[in-house]
Amino acid sequence: MAVPTVTREATAHDTAPAPATANGLLWRAISRRWRLVVPGLVLMTLWQLSEALVPIAIGWIVDAAIIPLDRQAMLWSVVGLVALFTVLSFSYRFGARMSNRALNEEAHDLRVEATRIPLARRRAMEGASSGGVLSVCSADADVAALIFRQVALGGSAVISIVGISVYLLWTDWVVGLIVLVGVPLSLVLVALPSRAISRHSTAQQAAIGEASSRATDIMTGLRVLKAGGGERWAAEQYRVASQGAADAGIVTAERSGRVAGIGSLGMAAVLVLVLVAAGYRVVAGEMEIGTLVSVVGVAVFFEEPVRMITMMVSVFARSHGAAQRLVDLQGSAPVDESGTEVPEGSRLELRDLPLPDGRALDLEVARGEVVALVAEQPAAADAVTLAIAGHGEHTDAVLVGGHRRSALVPELARHLVVAPHRVDLFVGTIRSNIALRHGEVGDEGVEVDDDVVHASAVAEIVEHLPDGLDHVVQEGGRNLSGGQRQRIALARALHADPDVLVLHEPTSAVDAVTEWEIAQAVREMRTRRSGQATLIVSSSPPFLATADRVVHLPAHGEPRSGTHAELRADSATYRTAVDR
């Protein structure tokens, strides 16, 4: 039985090396959207310049039409203003549309790229909470993509300031000089605190991730909390985490507000100087009334682009902080750790695998063999399954198909599947949770072998459901019982049909009669196929009785091997372990 796979066309985004710095990530974002960024920036600059041309046009109308009472000039002035506002309106509309499209497309790519790292790489954010990973893969990707808004608004503001400064210099060199000195000085004062804002923004995103982690943890165990009366405790835990995020947000907002205040104060000082200088020039007869209107209007307009640049400095600091967290995620899972070896054959070996109590375990599961491992200490059972799954520091002690576990390729579903005791189901259907194909066209058509359905006792579940295998599974499988979830998880492992299958207590929530039927069916299914190896880490008597060989790992002493009947007859500790 072939395992369904999902293929997609490789893109340059997948093959290009990942940026090593936050600035590199932001620059890559801009460079791969340049077809939207460049025309968007041009149109947004045209909008800003059109805004600046409004007071200039009004000043020209005062001198050319209003003061001399020239009707024809006034008519052409009205036509010109209509054209100017038409350009102003449409340039902003289409420029903003292009910039927002670039923002949303890049945010999508960053989310997918970030999510692929913990999914495909063995040690991605090892030790991090699921909420923290979720925060990086969603919120941080969205915040980092705000760089396009900065380019569109901040870039057009800078260009318009340069253009208007040239106009003021040409109109009156004194006023122009005041602007050329005052505006850059204001921008320098605004830019100085940007590094601190970036640092505080990074801390804020981390605090948000912690709050998200607490929320995820609480929602996962909500039933247990309610059953044990832990609602107040959980609420207090989340309140503390949320308060931390709020405090970090307040600090970031305070720093951003301080920058905005500095920018406004600087521009107010420049505007006062411009008004005083221009007024003096008019009184001295060196400037026309219409020119005064234009100069004052343009000077007032200066506040808008400077305010925009001030705001963009704060936004850039947030984007930089989010980009740094994305880079940290990338750096937490080096690509070369995944390995390149493909298992040859179905043979599982543990060679001197260190256990938590200091002992070492040697174990071999040959081709076509079903072996059960009874570990009296749960920590020892966890250590075995985690090492085989490729987690922890001792994966070199595990050999699959003749190759060390740490050297194997990450795409191992055809060769090795380790089904942990904890069951994770996903939003979709029973069929999609077995086949692991979610949300695809024709998902309802994915074939699930009847042998898999019956061997895992899923057939008993679906025969009572009107939609059968297409019955909807809610988040975490909360609309199913514990035993039903375990059977679906077992069916998922059997459906993968790997060369080496490891099951960890697969039926602990299933009734005894059904468990015996499952144990027999799993053995029959795994042994009649092409010589697959199966390791069952369990103390369940049905699985032990149907196994070819049982390895007993007592709490103390050396492991013993034999059939279930032999170990029961020879070892009192074994009988205690399997009968409790």
Side-chain angles (χ1 to χ4, degrees):
M1 178 181 65
V3 179
T5 58
V6 181
T7 60
R8 67 179 183 87
E9 185 179 354
T11 65
H13 297 179
D14 301 322
T15 57
T21 64
N23 288 332
L25 186 142
L26 296 177
W27 177 250
R28 185 195 65 174
I30 295 172
S31 62
R32 66 186 185 184
R33 306 287 172 198
W34 68 270
R35 289 183 176 84
L36 291 170
V37 171
V38 172
L41 178 58
V42 170
L43 289 172
M44 294 298 285
T45 301
L46 184 59
W47 161 66
Q48 287 273 18
L49 291 175
S50 297
E51 290 268 16
L53 283 174
V54 171
I56 296 175
I58 292 174
W60 183 87
I61 293 171
V62 169
D63 284 338
I66 295 177
I67 294 178
L69 300 177
D70 188 334
R71 294 183 178 180
Q72 186 175 4
M74 179 59 73
L75 178 61
W76 282 110
S77 298
V78 172
V79 173
L81 281 177
V82 171
L84 178 60
F85 275 95
T86 300
V87 173
L88 185 154
S89 176
F90 279 93
S91 59
Y92 177 81
R93 176 180 179 181
F94 290 102
R97 180 178 295 179
M98 288 183 175
S99 298
N100 282 323
R101 179 178 175 183
L103 186 156
N104 285 286
E105 287 183 356
E106 184 65 22
H108 166 72
D109 278 358
L110 286 175
R111 286 194 298 268
V112 172
E113 182 181 290
T115 304
R116 189 179 296 127
I117 294 172
L119 286 175
R121 298 187 187 175
R122 187 172 296 152
R123 297 184 181 275
M125 295 194 79
E126 194 168 42
S129 63
S130 56
V133 177
L134 174 64
S135 177
V136 174
C137 295
S138 55
D140 286 315
D142 290 340
V143 172
L146 292 177
I147 186 67
F148 293 99
R149 192 164 294 165
Q150 301 151 36
V151 171
L153 295 175
S156 63
V158 171
I159 296 173
S160 66
I161 286 176
V162 173
I164 298 168
S165 298
V166 172
Y167 163 77
L168 289 175
L169 269 177
W170 175 75
T171 302
D172 188 283
W173 70 270
V174 175
V175 174
L177 189 61
I178 293 173
V179 172
L180 285 179
V181 174
V183 171
L185 183 59
S186 298
L187 294 179
V188 169
L189 293 175
V190 165
L192 287 177
S194 62
R195 189 179 296 274
I197 295 176
S198 178
R199 185 173 64 254
H200 289 297
S201 178
T202 303
Q204 178 188 1
Q205 293 299 115
I208 292 173
E210 177 62 23
S212 176
S213 174
R214 293 289 179 88
T216 302
D217 193 38
I218 291 170
M219 290 301 104
T220 301
L222 191 59
R223 289 183 178 179
V224 177
L225 288 169
K226 287 186 175 181
E231 297 95 326
R232 290 187 178 181
W233 173 83
E236 178 62 18
Q237 291 288 309
Y238 182 73
R239 188 195 67 77
V240 171
S242 181
Q243 186 62 51
D247 292 341
I250 290 172
V251 172
T252 303
E254 188 272 334
R255 297 295 191 277
S256 300
R258 185 179 300 176
V259 168
I262 292 173
S264 298
L265 181 61
M267 273 313 301
V270 172
L271 182 57
V272 168
L273 292 175
V274 168
L275 290 175
V276 170
Y280 176 79
R281 306 286 279 180
V282 171
V283 172
E286 299 174 359
M287 184 181 290
E288 299 290 338
I289 296 297
T291 305
L292 173 65
V293 172
S294 298
V295 169
V296 173
V298 168
V300 172
F301 167 76
F302 253 108
E303 185 180 2
E304 175 65 19
V306 171
R307 184 185 62 80
M308 197 173 294
I309 292 173
T310 301
M311 180 180 67
M312 289 303 104
V313 169
S314 300
V315 175
F316 175 77
R318 292 181 58 213
S319 294
H320 190 275
Q324 184 60 55
R325 280 166 58 83
L326 288 168
V327 169
D328 291 342
L329 171 61
Q330 179 75 31
S332 69
V335 178
D336 58 1
E337 282 198 5
S338 296
T340 58
E341 300 292 343
V342 178
E344 299 172 2
S346 50
R347 183 185 185 88
L348 174 65
E349 300 172 76
L350 306 183
R351 296 180 179 175
D352 291 325
L353 175 67
L355 298 176
D357 59 7
R359 292 180 296 173
L361 175 64
D362 288 316
L363 177 66
E364 181 178 322
V365 184
R367 182 173 182 264
E369 191 177 21
V370 177
V371 175
L373 173 65
V374 179
E376 292 187 13
Q377 294 180 332
D382 291 338
V384 170
T385 54
L386 285 174
I388 299 174
H391 302 293
E393 302 176 354
H394 306 299
T395 55
D396 282 343
V398 179
L399 279 75
V400 181
H403 297 286
R404 295 194 181 277
R405 180 66 179 83
S406 58
L408 298 180
V409 295
E411 297 82 8
L412 280 174
R414 296 177 184 273
H415 307 284
L416 170 68
V417 168
V418 179
H421 175 59
R422 170 179 169 175
V423 175
D424 291 304
L425 297 186
F426 309 96
V427 174
T429 63
I430 294 177
R431 184 190 303 276
S432 70
N433 270 279
I434 294 174
L436 285 185
R437 290 180 64 174
H438 299 267
E440 301 172 33
V441 176
D443 180 51
E444 67 281 355
V446 176
E447 291 294 333
V448 177
D449 198 318
D450 287 341
D451 287 350
V452 170
V453 175
H454 286 90
S456 60
V458 169
E460 296 180 11
I461 302 174
V462 299
E463 69 182 6
H464 301 295
L465 300 174
D467 296 327
L469 286 174
D470 296 312
H471 178 72
V472 173
V473 175
Q474 297 177 3
E475 180 182 0
R478 63 174 181 262
N479 58 328
L480 300 170
S481 68
Q484 290 173 329
R485 291 197 294 269
Q486 276 196 331
R487 292 188 233 181
I488 293 171
L490 175 60
R492 177 195 299 160
L494 295 174
H495 176 79
D497 197 31
D499 295 331
V500 177
L501 175 63
V502 179
L503 302 175
H504 186 191
E505 294 291 359
T507 54
S508 58
V510 177
D511 65 88
V513 174
T514 304
E515 187 177 29
W516 178 258
E517 295 173 351
I518 290 175
Q520 290 181 308
V522 168
R523 172 185 169 76
E524 194 276 333
M525 181 177 177
R526 293 290 295 172
T527 54
R528 69 178 165 83
R529 300 203 172 189
S530 54
Q532 299 162 325
T534 307
L535 174 64
I536 303 171
V537 182
S538 175
S539 58
S540 164
F543 280 104
L544 301 178
T546 55
D548 296 314
R549 181 164 51 93
V550 177
V551 176
H552 176 217
L553 184 59
H556 306 284
E558 295 299 318
R560 301 183 60 185
S561 178
T563 65
H564 176 55
E566 291 171 348
L567 291 174
R568 279 191 64 85
D570 297 340
S571 173
T573 57
Y574 178 80
R575 290 194 296 272
T576 302
V578 300
D579 292 340
R580 60 186 174 187

